[in-house]
Amino acid sequence: MLSYLGNYVLGRRVAVFSGSFIDAFGRLGVGEHAVRSTLARMVDRGLLARHRAGRRMHFGLTPRSEAILLDGEDRVWRRGVLNTDWDGTWTVLAFSLPESWRRVRHDLRARLAWAGFGSLGNGTWIAPSAVDVPALVDGLGLDGRLKVFTGPAQAPTDVPAMLREAFDLTPLAAGHRAFLRRWDRPEPLPGAPDDLARYLWMSAEWLELVRADPRLPVEHLPDGWPAVRGQCVVRELRRRWEGPARRIADASMECIDV
């Protein structure tokens, strides 16, 4: 759903008819009930807003979902998963929250993982970049509860060992290899009904990898790291399918201006 909204709704002041979502996701084998449940959950979370036109229900983006999608667009298509120009800067973040703040702790950890942080344990997290932490934690009410430092690692720090401690590379590499097995071929997903289905499926799978990938410095990754080929493949397929997929989406999407 995030891939669909980011590709075809973001940047347009429209709300999309529920039936258009059902049609689009039917191409992926997703049933009507699942689509309607997803739309309802996203409304509950402030990610979509309902707009009624006659007897029809439409769904449009909210300021919150626009911000999330813009950040995702930057992370997925501009920065990618390869940190090829690392300047040696680390961000170190430490926190300690009361046990009763379970929901805040969960939200904080999710945001830290998205921003490329890995845990060293005991509330200490590291990211191989300079992270705008105030923007990252905005709205969580954590003023005075975080300690943040940026700078290079100093001797005798073993940087490769620290990376292995903070980031579990084995499942990450397995995810990238699974992506390549499905998509790194002349005609990926031949059973899909059209290029819209292929593009949505590919975008959603890649988004899941991007969400899990901390964008580690290439010089500290194992030889033959599969994300290098994966990023090439996803960009090649985007150039191939983006235009046809948009034409299909636009032709099948019923909208109202909002």
Side-chain angles (χ1 to χ4, degrees):
M1 184 66 76
L2 291 172
S3 296
Y4 182 86
L5 294 169
N7 281 308
Y8 309 119
V9 183
L10 183 63
R12 303 172 62 188
R13 297 301 175 188
V14 298
V16 181
F17 172 49
S18 59
S20 296
F21 289 104
I22 293 168
D23 175 73
F25 287 94
R27 290 173 154 83
L28 302 172
V30 180
E32 178 178 344
H33 176 73
V35 174
R36 292 190 184 277
S37 296
T38 298
L39 293 172
R41 287 198 304 274
M42 294 183 77
V43 170
D44 291 342
R45 296 177 184 177
L47 297 173
L48 290 176
R50 289 188 176 95
H51 301 268
R52 184 178 293 278
R55 301 179 63 182
R56 290 188 162 198
M57 188 63 69
H58 298 69
F59 296 85
L61 299 179
T62 64
R64 182 186 176 203
S65 59
E66 287 183 345
I68 290 172
L69 291 172
L70 285 170
D71 181 53
E73 183 176 64
D74 178 69
R75 174 77 182 273
V76 172
W77 299 119
R78 293 188 180 91
R79 287 184 289 159
V81 296
L82 301 177
N83 190 341
T84 58
D85 56 357
W86 187 50
D87 63 0
T89 298
W90 292 88
T91 298
V92 181
L93 180 148
F95 68 89
S96 178
L97 301 180
E99 189 62 32
S100 60
W101 288 33
R102 187 172 302 173
R103 177 63 182 271
V104 176
R105 185 184 293 108
H106 172 79
D107 288 347
L108 174 60
R109 287 172 174 167
R111 294 190 190 190
L112 291 175
W114 170 252
F117 280 87
S119 175
L120 289 174
N122 297 318
T124 301
W125 293 63
I126 60 170
S129 61
V131 179
D132 184 357
V133 173
L136 178 67
V137 302
D138 183 47
L140 293 181
L142 295 175
D143 291 350
R145 294 186 176 274
L146 301 180
K147 299 177 180 65
V148 183
F149 309 87
T150 59
Q154 300 295 327
T157 304
D158 185 337
V159 171
M162 184 170 66
L163 285 174
R164 291 192 298 271
E165 181 181 354
F167 304 98
D168 190 352
L169 299 185
T170 300
L172 189 59
H176 282 292
R177 292 190 181 100
F179 181 88
L180 289 173
R181 285 194 296 271
R182 185 191 298 274
W183 299 104
D184 191 12
R185 54 180 63 194
E187 296 296 333
L189 216 63
D194 52 39
D195 285 346
L196 174 59
R198 293 183 185 92
Y199 191 55
L200 283 175
W201 199 292
M202 182 269 292
S203 298
E205 281 198 20
W206 185 247
L207 176 60
E208 285 299 301
L209 287 173
V210 170
R211 290 176 66 181
D213 197 306
R215 201 171 181 267
L216 300 176
V218 171
E219 61 260 42
H220 292 302
L221 290 170
D223 291 339
W225 185 246
V228 176
R229 176 59 185 163
Q231 185 156 288
C232 291
V233 168
V234 80
R235 289 177 174 173
E236 290 169 3
L237 293 177
R238 187 190 190 200
R239 286 191 292 268
R240 176 176 168 184
W241 290 334
E242 185 178 28
R246 178 169 294 278
R247 288 190 289 272
I248 296 169
D250 288 346
S252 62
M253 186 185 296
E254 296 184 45
C255 305
I256 58 171
D257 294 330
V258 296

